């Protein structure tokens, strides 16, 4: 008798749109504090430079967060997620030192506070990786099975997630049965593949009392194999994971924002599960 694996997911049928069709491209002014310690082999000049770089990196991270929030993905007039704009990067235009100096209590600690003007940098259309994704059914009854169909235009590595209403992220592929997540350009794939013991079965979150659930499948494609799996996302075998037991969308966004925009892409399929 073959062992039967169950991967659960939560999806919704809804119209997806962007809060704004084009990014405004407006730079933002942010403040950030950086610090560095003086080691035995360091010179004060090297420590000061490290502290400034630390402040600049933190400023860019804050600015990118602002860019993402200004371009929210909307589903059925409700905020869905900001993952699609995580590819935005920040470019430092101007830097002003507000305050700097050695800590009064720890004379080996140098701290600098900067005011930084950061300009958003978005990937150009038509470059990098593009994805297509669909599912076999638009509305699923609890317990029904479905398949994910996807295709990429370039050689890349595919990561398939289910994202629940509470923001929890469950990893579907790669998994303990299917570890190979590399795809070739133009080839159509399905998950689970034919003859595979894994099944995608629609289920509600534990304790969910509503008559339907709206969630989605998210596919991430990266040019190189990335360490996305160790971020705390549990594998969707048999168990249903909530926000307390698996990784969150914010963790996924943070990891992707560290990649070059042309080195990754994302696509979603949104469905509804009914009782």
């Amino acid at each position: 008798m073959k062992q039967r694996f169950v991967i659960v997911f939560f999806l919704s049928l809804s119209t997806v749109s962007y809060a704004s069709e084009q990014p405004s491209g407006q730079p933002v002014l942010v403040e950030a504090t950086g610090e560095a310690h003086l080691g035995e082999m360091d010179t004060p000049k090297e420590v000061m430079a490290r502290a400034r770089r630390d402040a600049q990196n933190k400023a860019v991270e804050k600015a990118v967060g602002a860019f993402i929030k200004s371009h929210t993905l909307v589903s059925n007039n409700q905020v869905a997620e900001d993952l699609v704009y995580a590819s935005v990067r920040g470019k430092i235009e101007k830097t002003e030192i507000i305050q700097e100096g050695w800590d009064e209590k720890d004379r080996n600690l140098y701290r600098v506070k900067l005011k930084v003007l950061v300009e958003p940098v978005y990937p150009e259309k038509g470059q990098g990786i593009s994805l297509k994704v669909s599912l076999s059914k638009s509305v699923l009854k609890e317990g029904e099975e479905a398949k994910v169909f996807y295709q990429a235009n370039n050689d890349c590595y595919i990561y398939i997630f289910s994202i629940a209403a509470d923001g929890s992220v469950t990893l579907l592929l790669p998994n303990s049965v299917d570890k190979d997540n590399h795809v070739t350009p133009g080839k159509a794939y399905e998950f689970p593949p034919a003859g595979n013991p894994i099944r995608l079965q629609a289920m509600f979150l534990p304790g969910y009392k509503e008559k339907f659930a709206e969630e989605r499948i998210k596919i991430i494609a990266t040019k190189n194999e990335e360490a996305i799996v160790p971020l705390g996302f549990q594998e969707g075998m048999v168990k249903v994971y909530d926000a307390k037991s698996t990784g969150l969308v914010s963790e996924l966004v943070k990891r992707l924002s560290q990649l070059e925009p042309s080195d990754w892409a994302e696509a979603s399929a949104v469905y509804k599960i009914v009782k």
Side-chain angles (χ1 to χ4, degrees):
M1 180 178 178
K2 290 185 177 181
Q3 187 177 5
R4 187 172 183 272
F5 297 88
V6 178
I7 296 183
V8 296
F9 66 110
F10 320 89
L11 304 165
S12 69
L13 177 63
S14 59
T15 302
V16 178
S17 61
Y18 298 107
S20 57
E21 290 298 325
Q22 298 291 338
S24 63
Q26 295 298 315
V28 297
L29 193 63
V30 296
E31 293 183 4
T33 300
E35 57 184 37
H37 283 85
L38 178 67
E40 294 181 1
M41 305 299 292
D42 295 326
T43 66
K45 186 177 181 180
E46 291 172 337
V47 175
M48 293 176 186
R50 287 207 307 270
R52 292 191 185 104
R53 287 196 299 271
D54 182 44
Q56 288 176 333
N57 290 338
K58 290 176 180 177
V60 170
E61 185 176 346
K62 289 175 67 176
V64 168
F67 299 147
I68 292 174
K69 288 180 181 178
S70 67
H71 298 284
T72 302
L73 191 66
V74 175
S75 175
N76 278 352
N77 298 320
Q78 299 294 320
V79 173
E81 61 170 297
D82 299 314
L83 186 56
V84 71
Y85 275 102
S87 58
V88 63
R89 302 294 294 271
K91 177 183 178 183
I92 295 177
E93 290 295 316
K94 294 181 182 179
T95 300
E96 176 187 343
I97 297 176
I98 300 176
Q99 186 179 2
E100 64 179 333
W102 298 94
D103 188 271
E104 294 182 359
K105 296 181 180 180
D106 184 354
R107 302 305 298 178
N108 291 321
L109 175 63
Y110 186 82
R111 188 177 290 111
V112 59
K113 185 176 183 180
L114 301 179
K115 182 181 292 184
V116 183
L117 183 66
V118 184
E119 181 180 353
V121 178
Y122 295 88
E124 294 182 7
K125 292 183 179 180
Q127 294 184 346
I129 304 170
S130 64
L131 278 173
K132 295 180 180 179
V133 60
S134 62
L135 284 97
S136 57
K137 294 184 179 182
S138 60
V139 179
L140 295 163
K141 292 183 178 180
E142 186 177 15
E144 274 194 298
E145 295 180 0
K147 282 183 176 287
V148 181
F149 304 102
Y150 57 94
Q151 187 178 31
N153 68 330
N154 279 318
D155 275 300
C156 58
Y157 292 87
I158 293 291
Y159 303 86
I160 304 178
F161 301 91
S162 70
I163 300 181
D166 62 353
S168 60
V169 181
T170 301
L171 177 65
L172 305 183
L173 182 74
N175 56 65
S176 58
V177 176
D178 293 320
K179 297 181 180 180
D180 183 9
N181 62 332
H182 180 264
V183 302
T184 56
K187 182 178 178 180
Y189 291 83
E190 65 179 48
F191 179 81
N196 194 290
I198 292 175
R199 297 291 182 270
L200 279 178
Q201 187 177 24
M203 294 179 66
F204 291 99
L205 283 168
Y208 193 82
K209 300 185 183 301
E210 302 298 326
K211 294 182 178 180
F212 66 91
E214 295 187 349
E215 302 294 343
R216 59 201 162 280
I217 288 288
K218 174 69 66 180
I219 296 185
I220 305 297
T222 60
K223 180 179 179 181
N224 302 306
E225 197 166 9
E226 297 292 337
I228 292 178
V229 177
L231 292 178
F233 306 118
Q234 299 294 330
E235 183 180 313
M237 295 290 197
V238 180
K239 185 177 178 180
V240 180
Y241 293 99
D242 59 18
K244 296 180 180 180
S245 55
T246 190
L248 299 176
V249 171
S250 59
E251 294 163 335
L252 191 55
V253 169
K254 185 176 181 180
R255 172 58 186 149
L256 292 172
S257 66
Q258 297 170 357
L259 304 179
E260 289 296 328
S262 60
D263 286 350
W264 74 276
E266 64 83 37
S268 296
V270 190
Y271 271 58
K272 178 184 288 185
I273 295 179
V274 297
K275 291 186 177 180

